[in-house]
Each structure stands twice: as C-alpha cells, then as structure tokens.
Amino acid sequence: MVGIRQHKTLINTWCLIEMVGIRYHKTHISTRCKWSIRVVVVVIPEMENRLRTAENQVKLLKAENQERKVVFSVTLGVGGYYGPTSTTLVYKDILTNIGNHYNPTNGHFTAPVRGVYYFRIALFGIVERNSGIHCNLRTNGNITLKAGLWEYIAKSQHHVANAASLLLEQGDVVDVQLGGTTIYDDSHKRNTFSGFLLFPV
C-alpha cells in the first residue's frame, strides 16, 4: 500500500511539473506573440515613418545644394570694335553657366535665390576712337557700380575692371551697360562678365 501511495504521489508530482511547464511555455509563447504583434503594428510603421522623413530631408538638401550651384562667366563672342552705344552688353560666348541663370539672348543674370553674390566685369578698349572706356554694372536697371577709364593717351590700349559682392533678392536682374563708348575684342576674350553665389541668406 505504501508503495502504491508513493507511486501515485510521484505521478501527481510529475503531472504537476508538466502542467507548470505547459503553463510557462504557453505564457512564454504568448509573450513572444505579443512582442511580435507590437513589432508589426507599432515598430515597423514607426521605422517606415522615420525612413520617409529621412528621404524627404535628403531630397530637400539635394534641392538646396542644387540652388547653391550658381556660377557663370561669359565673353562678348564678337571680334573687332563694339560701340559706341549705351545699351546692355549681351555676352554670347559662354565659358561657364552652371544653373543656367545667365541668359545669353539678353545679357541678364537673374538671381535664383536670395543671397550674397559676387560679380566682376572687365573691359578692353583702344581709346583712340573715343574719350575713354567705361561701363555700368546694373541691378534691376539701376547703376550699382562703374568700371572705366576717362583719361587716356591717344592710340593706347587699356584694360579696366571692377567687382563687388551684392545682396540680391530672388528674381533680381543684373546686367552690364556700356557707357556710350567703344570697346574692342578678339579671340583673347578680353571683355568678360562673371558672377557666382557666395551663400544664400
């Protein structure tokens, strides 16, 4: 009888251990399932949102970087004497025009963004034909600065230049106006108009 009782007690103990193990296993499986569901429902959408945000930021940075690539350098592209005239100089020979903000059909540079830009103009002339050489750098039709030579020696050659850093608004137009005098150019590209964006503001 004692042996039978011990055997039944042992069986009950093993059954209890197995039941506890099954409950633990079920609890463990349930916990893992809950975590997996949370990953699918919460974590993955959060990661997708972060990825979309990062992609949008990259696109924005690329667009801003593209806007900052503004450089041009142009020459007249004509040989011989040019002038006398007081019209806008149209530089048709393009050396560089990154961003395509200089227009070779009308001689205008249009600022793509608000920022500080650097401009330089250079003129060459044989002053025997007039009283000197000079031109105006204009912003929206208003004279910003001048470059020129007003005193001269007859039949002398002169090269004049000027430069400035300007704060421009988006859409501002910058060009060069010849100051009623005559300039000279040849294959050496002596008359130039250049500019680039230093930084946006």
Side-chain angles (χ1 to χ4, degrees), residues 135-152:
C135 68
N136 305 314
L137 181 71
R138 303 187 303 180
T139 304
N140 299 325
N142 300 313
I143 297 175
T144 303
L145 59 84
K146 292 177 176 286
L149 173 73
W150 284 266
E151 296 181 1
Y152 69 97

Side-chain angles (χ1 to χ4, degrees), residues 98-194:
I98 297 175
N100 294 317
H101 300 294
Y102 171 79
N103 189 337
T105 61
N106 56 21
H108 292 169
F109 168 81
T110 304
V113 295
R114 185 176 190 269
V116 177
Y117 295 78
Y118 176 84
F119 295 97
R120 184 180 186 275
I121 50 177
L123 287 181
F124 176 80
I126 302 175
V127 296
E128 63 175 337
R129 295 176 63 91
N130 50 54
S131 60
I133 54 172
H134 50 90
C135 68
N136 305 314
L137 181 71
R138 303 187 303 180
T139 304
N140 299 325
N142 300 313
I143 297 175
T144 303
L145 59 84
K146 292 177 176 286
L149 173 73
W150 284 266
E151 296 181 1
Y152 69 97
I153 300 174
K155 297 183 180 180
S156 59
Q157 299 179 3
H158 292 279
H159 206 158
V160 298
N162 205 350
S165 297
L166 304 176
L167 174 61
L168 300 180
E169 300 293 334
Q170 183 179 15
D172 281 352
V173 175
V174 178
D175 61 16
V176 180
Q177 177 192 36
L178 190 60
T181 57
T182 301
I183 56 178
Y184 178 83
D185 212 341
D186 53 26
S187 60
H188 296 292
K189 305 180 187 299
R190 301 173 186 271
N191 297 273
T192 61
F193 177 33
S194 303

